[in-house]
Amino acid sequence: MLVAAAACPCPPLLVPEVAAGAAPELDVARAACTDALGVLAAARPGRLVVVGPVGGAGVGHHPAGTTGSFRGFGVGLDVRLGEGEGEDAEARLPYSLAVGAWLLERTGWSDAPVEGFGVGESSTTEQCLRSGRELAARDERVALLVMGDASACRTLKAPGYLDERAAPFDAQVARALGAADLAALTTLDAGLAHELKVSGRAPWQVLAGAAEGADLGGSLLYEDAPYGVGYVVAAWS
């Protein structure tokens, strides 16, 4: 059963070494992520699953010990998802889960075994809900660290340019995550999310499936759109 969850953004820029000179601009977001992870630790889960978006419609499990790297950004920084050797020495974490692994390393996570779950950004709502239910059933006390960004269309200089639908969509997401509103997350428009370049829609719907019957309350810790991309941090317990 799900006992706690944290929703965090997943841009590699969250990692100071990647952001370089622009690193201070996301200090408030990093601090909020640290607070959200504190909520997970306080729940004393028996298992932590890091959920993040990947391309396509498939899903992928990443065992403890799977490594990730930010070398593609010109940074000699590697991360490891929890403790373990990983089942495939050649496997690599997608960037969304690598950022999650970095957050866990940064806060010194040692409270529960960790594994990763990548969910395709084009997965249907029902597929996401089903995956969430399956993850919640993996332990008597499961926590989720859910990685994903809101729209990338908030300003003229945003990756997806300015779209007037972006701000209302992001506000809907922030309200839903802040209130632990499963119905609102479940009814997020997948088509609109795709048009607005939202990476978090599928992971948030995995969260909604995992939280069914859990009776958790939510708290919105951060919501902003630096670089024209919507970032939301929330904690559920």
Side-chain angles (χ1 to χ4, degrees):
M1 174 178 285
L2 188 71
V3 296
C8 294
C10 62
L13 284 173
L14 203 61
V15 179
E17 291 87 343
V18 175
E25 297 176 15
L26 290 179
D27 279 347
V28 176
R30 294 184 192 100
C33 291
T34 297
D35 291 342
L37 288 175
V39 172
L40 298 186
R44 299 186 179 277
R47 181 186 304 267
L48 173 65
V49 183
V50 184
V51 180
V54 296
V59 298
H61 291 272
H62 301 271
T66 305
T67 59
S69 174
F70 295 98
R71 295 178 184 272
F73 296 93
V75 174
L77 176 64
D78 298 320
V79 292
R80 182 179 296 273
L81 189 64
E83 299 180 358
E85 298 300 326
E87 295 178 358
D88 182 353
E90 299 300 320
R92 285 284 182 170
L93 296 171
Y95 282 124
S96 62
L97 297 185
V99 174
W102 175 81
L103 285 173
L104 293 172
E105 290 185 359
R106 179 174 183 263
T107 56
W109 179 271
S110 61
D111 297 88
V114 182
E115 62 188 73
F117 181 77
V119 55
E121 291 184 45
S122 59
S123 298
T124 67
T125 296
E126 186 49 49
Q127 288 172 329
C128 295
L129 295 174
R130 183 168 60 249
S131 292
R133 296 177 192 120
E134 293 170 354
L135 292 178
R138 290 178 63 80
D139 194 280
E140 290 183 0
R141 297 185 63 80
V142 174
L144 296 186
L145 172 55
V146 182
M147 310 299 296
D149 300 339
S151 73
C153 303
R154 292 280 292 273
T155 66
L156 292 174
K157 294 184 178 181
Y161 197 65
L162 175 64
D163 190 314
E164 294 181 354
R165 301 172 296 175
F169 184 94
D170 289 358
Q172 178 186 2
V173 168
R175 284 193 299 270
L177 289 174
D181 188 336
L182 307 190
L185 292 177
T186 299
T187 55
L188 289 175
D189 188 323
L192 179 57
H194 175 73
E195 293 176 12
L196 296 177
K197 302 185 183 302
V198 176
S199 70
R201 190 274 309 174
W204 298 327
Q205 292 186 330
V206 169
L207 170 59
E212 290 177 359
D215 192 26
L216 301 180
S219 177
L220 182 65
L221 304 180
Y222 176 87
E223 193 277 323
D224 203 353
Y227 316 117
V229 182
Y231 297 151
V232 179
V233 180
W236 295 13
S237 62

